[in-house]
Amino acid sequence: MDPTVLDRSIPELAGLVTRGEVSAEEVTTACLDRITKRDGALGAFLTVQADEALEAARAVDQKRARGEALGPLAGVPIGIKDALCTRDAPTTAGSRILLRPASKGEAAADPRRGFRPPYDATVVARLRAAGAVLVGKTNMDEFAMGSSNENSAFFPARNPWDPTRTPGGSSGGSAVCVAAGLAPGALGSDTGGSIRQPAALTGTVGIKPTYGRVSRYGLVAFASSLDQVGPFAADVRSAARLLGVIAGHDPHDQTSLGAPVAHYEDACGRDVKGLRIGVPEEYFAKGIEPAVEKSVREALAGLVSLGCELVPVRLPHTRYAVATYYVLATAEASSNLSRYDGVRFGARAEGAEDLAALYARTRGQNFGREVARRIVLGTYVLSAGYYDAYYLRAQRVRTLIRRDFEEVFRQVDVLAAPVSPTVAFPLGERVDDPLAMYLADIYTLPASLAGVPALSVPCAPTPAADGVPSLPVGLQLVGPPLEEARLCALAAAWEGISPARGSRPKVSGA
């Protein structure tokens, strides 16, 4: 089989397998071979489940041989962010605290010793039911806390456009998996931008659905009122197909919405003429790199050429989004991560003389610096005397941010803005400057706080200059609740004329 088949879109690849023009086993073998040759320099995967993937691929081929109908993802290899539970593979959430103790001769930090869940996350089960082949668990910032993938307890993922630079985070491994052609699609999670920002920095498509549109059951929790699962793909139609598979009500998730699932893939051919596109002035303020702003404004001009109307709008409470997010998200994290105590599962410190010492040692030895920082901050804002001053006030500001979006969507159909104020930055540049790292998500946090859908689609990359290579830039499209189909339609229309269409990084390996 020609290995470039892996570079086809997900609908095309599934069609080839369904028609028998290529077998799922051949596709999976080519995918695993590509991972072996390419991923050593990129770090996209924490673990690869080769045997299980080949077994799943053969099951697809056998099903076809029996004349049974195949699912919409028949034989398509997919990477899974390691925050999602998988019954046949370890789950670490990028943390040492979910590793079993090392035996003699084993490495201290080996993700293959991760916690083995007894069940699949709902989105994982839906992928399997659709015929997808799950090839491995992708790298991530520990407990999804980070914007560069450098908070992984194991090793950082590297941007395939320039391996000295970050792919973004926290779903950096999933973004690299798709950008480097290791698999046609991947799942990530987005709490404050962790799908959209890595998608923008790696030149892929990433979708953060409406809060509750996709089940969180089986997702290792960071901030439960913000976490959402979504897809990465190389093109909009592929991402739309993945979203259509994983979306829908789930009785296991009490925040899951019961609204019918739209036909996202069908929407990709829809005419977008007449759509009113809001351009929020707050997203083009001081701090955005000139080359990024130029690329995004060229994309806005492209939307006008498609028949859309640009409308200047304001989201006045955007300036409070970073502070609001880091109060609320850390407060929820301090509660969610209290379950990691060395008693029930995962790592356990040795030599503790009492229960309090066991808790302290286990967490102190196994939580990374950023996770510890956020737990401390979250515990502080929830403590007596500070709850009203910080947490309750942040909740009120969150309501104001949500009202900003409600008001603006009475005037326009979609918002268009940058995803990130910068292109991918060098690894190590912001590790010791948490505030600079937090500001990487300044344009993605408002949509997360409001719970509205948003996606990143590539626009023109920056030109190479002064030794810096050409790097991807993402256009962010934000819609009203449950209007993912509208976003897919507009993104696909833009993709059809985008100068970034079909561009991929040059990656060593077959």
Side-chain angles (χ1 to χ4, degrees), residues 313-327:
V313 297
R314 293 202 63 226
L315 296 168
H317 295 95
T318 293
R319 58 180 172 157
Y320 303 116
V322 173
T324 301
Y325 173 85
Y326 280 100
V327 170

Side-chain angles (χ1 to χ4, degrees), residues 56-217:
R58 293 181 191 119
V60 171
D61 292 334
Q62 291 164 5
K63 191 173 181 180
R64 183 184 179 278
R66 293 192 299 267
E68 299 177 27
L70 300 184
L73 299 177
V76 177
I78 301 292
I80 303 295
K81 185 176 181 178
D82 204 25
L84 289 162
C85 289
T86 43
R87 55 177 165 74
D88 59 356
T91 299
T92 72
S95 178
R96 293 168 61 111
I97 207 164
L98 277 171
L99 303 185
R100 63 168 174 77
S103 301
K104 186 176 181 179
E106 289 185 320
D110 186 342
R112 292 174 295 182
R113 298 202 322 274
F115 168 64
R116 294 259 177 176
Y119 66 97
D120 279 335
T122 294
V123 291
V124 171
R126 288 178 176 175
L127 289 179
R128 293 190 201 273
V133 175
L134 311 186
V135 292
K137 305 296 288 292
T138 58
N139 205 348
M140 59 179 287
D141 286 296
E142 185 179 8
F143 287 105
M145 299 182 191
S147 302
S148 68
N149 220 126
E150 292 171 282
N151 292 330
S152 170
F154 308 107
F155 45 81
R158 296 177 177 273
N159 196 317
W161 293 89
D162 178 356
T164 68
R165 294 175 180 267
T166 176
S170 64
S171 306
S174 292
V176 173
C177 168
V178 173
L182 306 183
L187 292 190
S189 65
D190 191 308
T191 306
S194 291
I195 289 175
R196 290 161 288 159
Q197 187 245 21
L201 301 193
T202 59
T204 55
V205 176
I207 303 177
K208 182 204 86 70
T210 303
Y211 183 79
R213 175 72 292 180
V214 175
S215 173
R216 292 184 297 110
Y217 179 73

Side-chain angles (χ1 to χ4, degrees), residues 34 36 51 62 73 107 109 126 147 151 187 209 215 257 268 274 285 301-302 354 356 360 374 392 407 422 455 481:
R34 188 176 278 189
T36 299
D51 292 341
Q62 291 164 5
L73 299 177
R126 288 178 176 175
S147 302
N151 292 330
L187 292 190
S215 173
L257 300 175
C268 290
D354 55 36
R374 297 195 192 193
L392 280 186
E407 177 61 31
T422 70
L455 61 76

Side-chain angles (χ1 to χ4, degrees), residues 354-375:
D354 55 36
L355 192 59
L358 173 65
Y359 289 173
R361 289 189 185 182
T362 297
R363 292 166 177 164
Q365 292 173 11
N366 293 287
F367 278 142
R369 184 171 59 172
E370 181 61 27
V371 171
R373 179 186 292 119
R374 297 195 192 193
I375 290 173

Side-chain angles (χ1 to χ4, degrees), residues 30 32 46 52 73 81 85 109 173 199 219-220 225 241 372 391 398 400 404 416 420 454 470-471 510:
L32 294 170
L46 292 178
E52 293 83 355
L73 299 177
K81 185 176 181 178
C85 289
L219 173 67
V220 177
S225 76
R241 179 167 290 199
Y391 184 75
R398 183 180 189 176
L400 295 175
D404 282 350
S420 169
S470 175
L471 293 168

